[in-house]
Amino acid sequence: MVPDRFLPAISVTTLLACGAVLSVAPWSVDLGIDSGKTLLLALLHIELALTLLLPGPGPQAGRRALPVQGAWLAACATSSSAALLCFAYRAQPEVVLEVRGLALACWAAAFGVSALGHALQSRLGGPWALRLRLIWLAVAALPVLWHYFALEYAQRSLLHLRPLSPHWLLAAFPDGAWTPLEYWPLVALAAATWLAAAILTRQGTRP
Amino acid sequence: MISRVTALALLLLCAAAAPAQAIDAARSGLLSAPRARPGCFAPLRVVFEAPPGATGALIESVSPGVVLTRQVNLSRAGATEARIPWFVGAGSFVRVSISGASAEFTPPMPARPQLPSYGRHYTAVFAPDPAAAREALRPGDEWPCDFFSDSEAFEDWRMLDGYDAVMLFNPGSAAWPAGLAQALTDFASLGGAIITTDNFTPPKATAPTTLALEDVAFSRQFCGAGAVYRVRHASLLAATNPSRAIIAALRDHRWHGADLPPSGPAPSRAISEPHARAWLVPLPPHEPPAPPLFFALCGLLLLASLLAPVLAARLSRRVWPGALAVFLASLAVAGPAALQPGPPVTIEASQVELALGDVASRRSFVTAPVAQGSALVWAVNLDAAGPRLLPRQAPARVQYSAWMVDEPDSKPMRAAAQGFELKAGSISGEMFRDFAASARRGQTSLDEGKALVLDWWLEANAYRGRDATLRGAEASTQPLTDRENAHWRFRGAISVTPLRQDR
């Protein structure tokens, strides 16, 4: 497991390293990154992938578990935003700022799922943190695959699942032209998981 | 009945809504009315009421993509008159601003628009007595003229933009304004014709040659792509039909010494407009190198995210101070990072120069992307010293703005010694399109940018039957206008020396 205190450093290092690699001329040309805006869009996709791939903060004991996890959430979201804004010399910072809401919702949902998993694990036993993380990956990362399978085998479109997948939403609207709360399922998921974790943590600490 | 208080309040409201300086619409308008050339700038008179205490007024001639400004000093309150070039086209108007308040005025479009034509020579005539000049010259449909008194003579060529020719009809020794000579030199360098009955001679004109047109003796001097035709006042008036003689002189210049007019529609200036919309396919934008600030911010962010939690863990047994330190440090980095100026706007320019001897003028074809949803506006201060540029908006690709910028009396570019002579639509024994294609393929001495401009020029001019010598030239590297955070990319330039048919 990664120590909690290195989560922001991992996200910052990953984003800066990816930015440096994608700026190297032959690779950027091969990848079709021909302008600063496309570079920032690529980094935004990497940031959204980090929210899915990074493990959330580890289990905390006591009543302060949720505030501590919230503090790491704020640190990770802010540090990754700052890393992306460092590349604003290549494109207007609006490209980054327009996606902040979606990225924050994604960070909050990922850390909320992690917090809920640890709360369930401490209350019920069993690998609940891993189970919920697997479900979270299936919900947020795979709607495009489900859409493809539904089209291929059932001739049905699952486009309505687009707000669940941050990458799909960003790819469909690279200019951030979604309505402010089009990604409401992510916001609802984040709110529900944090609320459930808070209730479970409170019940678990009751004498 | 309206109560006294209500009436007073209404009066106060009206007074507040009315601009401090009102433009007198009845006395303002085109000096050339009812004529003017659409798509060009025409002289406009603006009469406005200056409020007491005001010392200066800013007059703006606003047209799509271009704003011309002029500062007028106000010596007294009351009616004040100013003149400014105004673009004859949809969406253009004039704005007068005094002490923060402004008023706008849209002149009516000309009742007799003068479209460019090789058969009609639109001329501005300056004479001490315009009525007598009109009576003596008798302009007609083939030679539409606007008459101005000598005191109205323009000191800026941009007021003469819409005219094919300028005539100085001076029976005596009228005292022309000091700036008129420069305005006429600029006008001639851009390809305009000047007919004079006095001793006006541009400083860099060639030696005079004598020719007889309609039994009237003219002395002709070339000044760049333009020409000055001098005729004695008495011999012009003694001619059976003075206007026929002047039309013959104008044909001699505008038809390049041929007996027939060039084919195709006439261009508004000596250098034609590009032959098609979307004439310049922009290259990818200029990518700036990483500034030192980028490395400083990245270093700070890395250090803060790595060291802050470790140090916080040493100083405190609690976990949240580390997260809080990273949060605050990231905010401190994100602030200046978001305030970086962003990438420069890449402005591309290609240039065509008309050069003959030491006199040259150039037209620059400029393209810039629309940034953040708002198109760029080209602002020109008419009072500023330096090149007297005149931009006008041109058709552009989607998400781009384009201008054609005329610069008179410019410093000749460094051109290649080897020239390609265009004669009867052929260059070096090849049809001009085949030559342009081989130039685009890199089979001539011209590089890609020059070949592109050459292709445009040939498409727009070769079929007219014009002869010329074409050379690749070194484009200037000076930005055409001051604009912050802009990267100018000069893609190519050619120098064109027009050749007459009767050489």
Side-chain angles (χ1 to χ4, degrees), chain A residues 5-6 8-9 12-13 16 34-36 60 64 68 71-72 74-75 78-79 81-83 85-94 97, chain B residues 285 287-291 294 297-298 301-302 305-306 309-310 318-320 322-323 326-327 330-331 333-334 337-338 340-343 372:
Chain A
R5 61 174 180 269
F6 290 129
V12 166
T13 311
L16 293 182
D34 56 352
S35 69
Q60 307 282 335
R64 290 192 183 134
V68 167
W72 286 122
T78 321
S79 59
S81 301
L85 283 172
C86 285
F87 289 91
Y89 79 94
R90 292 283 304 271
Q92 298 299 329
E94 282 75 13
L97 298 176
Chain B
E287 292 299 334
F294 167 76
L297 292 174
C298 290
L301 189 60
L302 267 176
S305 60
L306 277 168
V310 177
R318 299 175 192 276
V319 181
W320 61 266
V326 175
F327 174 74
S330 302
L331 278 184
V333 170
Q340 291 180 94
Q372 296 295 316

Side-chain angles (χ1 to χ4, degrees), chain B residues 370-376 399:
Chain B
V370 173
Q372 296 295 316
S374 60
L376 294 179
Q399 291 296 313

Side-chain angles (χ1 to χ4, degrees), chain A residues 38-72:
Chain A
T38 49
L39 171 71
L40 277 185
L41 281 175
L43 291 178
L44 285 171
H45 278 283
I46 292 169
E47 184 203 16
L48 294 178
L50 277 176
T51 62
L52 302 181
L53 298 176
L54 267 186
Q60 307 282 335
R63 285 190 171 190
R64 290 192 183 134
L66 280 188
V68 167
Q69 282 165 332
W72 286 122

